[in-house]
Amino acid sequence: MTDLIFNSPLILFLNETLSFFGGIGILSYQITRDIFKGPIYWRLLIDQVFHVGNRSLPLIVITALSTGMVMSLQFGLGLEKFGGKLYVPKLVSATVLREMGPVFTSLMVAARVGAGFASEIGSMVVTQQIDAIRALGTSPIKKIVIPRVLATLLSLPILVGISNIVSNFGALIVGYSELKLDPNFYLLKILTTVTLKDYFAGFGKSFFFALFISIPSCYFGLTVKNGTKEVGIATTKAVVVSSILVLVGDFFLSKLFWILERMS
């Protein structure tokens, strides 16, 4: 009876959740401690920035363009029934800057980069490269984890900025070709209605999303223990958990920025 209770799916899930948050807490402490002790491996950091930012760019551009075009079409079709088609530029641009740009970009980065981090680090654990780094007197946190976390912190906000521009461009194309809105009018409405608060509300989230993606992905890679089979499991967990953290965290961050805007 006791075994049935402790091996029930709910108890196993709770144990795994507590273990995850405990591990994330310890890893976050180690990153914070080592990042100020130096040295920073700049060459590794630059390599990771190229890997995270440059190689993610085509995926981000395609996703952002499609998202902007779909949003413009859907808002246009909905508002046209009520004679509100002229509000499409304002609604689409504000939604892109505050929500769709940072969230969709982060989900794409979580799928591509998060999976890459977990599989790379997991493979290093299996092939004992992490042990070799320790044997040489170097911290794997400094050499493996910190460059990846910093690279995501640097690259994701830039990708979000590019995504915002491309999404609005895609929305403008559909606004002109399908909704018959004048391009000059469309641009003017964006420039006159979107505020810096809209931009910073979305841009600020990207720094938190970068941490939600990079730290859990590195954690799952480091916790691989039983051979190559676990590398695939760690990769799946990294993508799923990072995506959930981005989506759940988006609500609380939106609430936080909303409170800050009301106080300002």
Side-chain angles (χ1 to χ4, degrees):
M1 184 66 182
T2 307
D3 289 342
L4 283 175
I5 293 174
F6 282 104
N7 290 322
S8 65
L10 179 61
I11 296 298
L12 292 175
F13 174 75
L14 289 175
N15 281 335
E16 193 170 349
T17 304
L18 288 174
S19 174
F20 166 73
F21 282 109
I24 288 293
I26 294 170
L27 183 59
S28 300
Y29 165 73
Q30 292 172 331
I31 292 170
T32 308
R33 180 195 62 195
D34 288 356
I35 207 168
F36 293 109
K37 287 170 66 177
I40 300 291
Y41 293 92
W42 294 105
R43 180 62 183 270
L44 294 175
L45 175 59
I46 292 168
D47 287 345
Q48 289 301 322
V49 168
F50 179 80
H51 175 69
V52 175
N54 191 52
R55 291 185 177 170
S56 300
L57 193 57
L59 179 67
I60 299 304
V61 169
I62 293 170
T63 305
L65 190 66
S66 305
T67 304
M69 294 173 78
V70 169
M71 286 178 65
S72 182
L73 191 62
Q74 290 295 342
F75 275 121
L77 292 174
L79 292 172
E80 195 173 31
K81 299 174 185 173
F82 308 100
K85 197 168 65 174
L86 298 178
Y87 292 101
V88 169
K90 179 180 179 180
L91 287 173
V92 171
S93 57
T95 307
V96 164
L97 291 179
R98 283 182 172 268
E99 294 297 333
M100 295 297 105
V103 171
F104 275 31
T105 304
S106 300
L107 290 177
M108 291 298 105
V109 170
R112 203 192 79 80
V113 176
F117 285 174
S119 61
E120 284 171 10
I121 297 174
S123 299
M124 289 180 183
V125 172
V126 172
T127 55
Q128 299 182 330
Q129 292 181 54
I130 299 291
D131 293 335
I133 291 171
R134 286 199 185 96
L136 292 171
T138 307
S139 166
I141 302 296
K142 285 183 182 177
K143 201 160 187 177
I144 303 297
V145 176
I146 288 177
R148 284 168 171 76
V149 173
L150 289 180
T152 313
L153 274 169
L154 291 170
S155 303
L156 188 57
I158 297 172
L159 291 174
V160 168
I162 295 171
S163 171
N164 289 338
I165 295 170
V166 174
S167 287
N168 279 306
F169 178 69
L172 186 149
I173 292 174
V174 171
Y176 171 68
S177 60
E178 301 292 335
L179 306 177
K180 309 305 177 189
L181 294 174
D182 180 66
N184 292 324
F185 166 80
Y186 199 105
L187 281 174
L188 185 64
K189 291 298 287 183
I190 292 177
L191 294 173
T192 54
T193 55
V194 171
T195 65
L196 283 176
K197 288 181 181 177
D198 294 324
Y199 183 76
F200 285 116
F203 190 70
K205 290 178 186 175
S206 62
F207 293 98
F208 292 95
F209 291 160
L211 296 175
F212 294 164
I213 294 167
S214 58
I215 295 178
S217 300
C218 293
Y219 167 77
F220 284 119
L222 289 170
T223 52
V224 169
K225 291 177 182 173
N226 300 318
T228 53
K229 186 180 177 182
E230 272 202 11
V231 175
I233 297 172
T235 303
T236 304
K237 284 182 178 178
V239 175
V240 172
V241 171
S242 298
S243 301
I244 289 173
L245 288 175
V246 168
L247 292 172
V248 175
D250 182 48
F251 169 76
F252 293 101
L253 290 170
S254 297
K255 181 76 175 176
L256 174 65
F257 283 107
W258 181 66
I259 292 171
L260 292 175
E261 284 180 30
R262 292 190 67 182
M263 291 172 63
S264 62

